[in-house]
Amino acid sequence: MQKMLSYVRRAVDHYHMIDEGDRIAVGVSGGKDSLALLVALSQLSRFYPHHFTVVAITLEMGYDEMDFSPVQTLCDKLGVEYIRVPTQIGPIVFDIRHEENPCSLCAKLRRGALHDAARKAGCSKVALGHHFDDVVETYMLSLFYEGRISCFSPVTYLDRADITLIRPLLYVPEHYVRSFAKRHELPIVHNPCPADGNTKRQEIKDLLESAPVLAGLTATQLRRFQLFAENGKSFREIAQLEHCEYNAARKSVNQAIEKIKKFLKRGCSKRD
């Protein structure tokens, strides 16, 4: 728990995500990311210098097989208010609209419903469970499929909705979220979405997982290189985030750069 709170507090402090008296809605889908975020913010609220309140909000997508009662039990244990909002987003996207690319419409409908529920609950901020790997994947999605360099911001104010989005898991690697969820036995709810695992994001995730192996990068080298290249972190900042020595951070990044160079040279030679 201490390491998770260290990651989260660093992001919260760095980007000034939380102010005194905030009432923050956590969008809880039932997945590992949102549940880990809920637990982390609930624990952080107990000692953070700025007093804030956490509210969990789940959008029920219209699938009868999704049972959120274990999430209710978790919220009761944490002392967090839990709001469940019934919707028919799933049937609308797949059964009525028959969308060929359903993710865009689904995300749009979920955002609108979540923002409405947050405002009704008296929340001015919505916390989303995007972690460090999501940052890299979003960056690559934009680069590959839109031809531009873009990514979501740690803090975003939506003037039309009068809601501020925050992403406290920004510095947390997905592998740690996964181990955190397993270690704390979080009640993950299975997602029956027909598009689950069959998206452009999944393609990018598979690519990112395979490319470092082909280039010979270790998980540590990849993570530190991403902090350096994608987030613009200095070696000193990487050392602080990774809880390692300055020289170890620099060595990992330099080793990753050399391996990537060799990998790219091999690729160019084969094409020639």
Side-chain angles (χ1 to χ4, degrees), residues 15 21 27 29 32 43 52 78 84 91 137 218 254:
Y15 294 104
S29 65
K32 68 182 189 313
Q43 296 301 313
F52 68 95
L78 295 173
R84 295 165 62 174
E137 290 161 13
T218 66
N254 288 335

Side-chain angles (χ1 to χ4, degrees), residues 28 38 56 70-83:
V28 178
L38 174 63
V71 179
Q72 178 69 68
T73 301
L74 173 64
C75 290
D76 292 341
K77 180 180 178 182
L78 295 173
V80 170
E81 180 183 357
Y82 185 37
I83 300 172

Side-chain angles (χ1 to χ4, degrees), residues 7-22:
Y7 277 126
V8 170
R9 181 162 185 175
R10 189 175 293 113
V12 169
D13 288 345
H14 190 177
Y15 294 104
H16 309 291
M17 294 183 181
I18 296 176
D19 297 307
E20 179 67 32
D22 275 346

Side-chain angles (χ1 to χ4, degrees), residues 18 26 33-34 39 41 71 76 112 124 139 171 185 188 192 199 220:
I18 296 176
V26 178
D33 305 333
S34 61
V39 172
L41 283 183
V71 179
D76 292 341
S124 59
Y139 175 92
Y171 291 153
E185 300 180 337
I188 296 173
T199 63
T220 298

Side-chain angles (χ1 to χ4, degrees), residues 143-160:
L143 187 64
F144 279 28
Y145 295 107
E146 298 177 7
R148 63 192 180 99
I149 295 176
S150 178
C151 190
F152 49 71
S153 299
V155 178
T156 306
Y157 175 66
L158 306 176
D159 53 354
R160 291 186 178 181

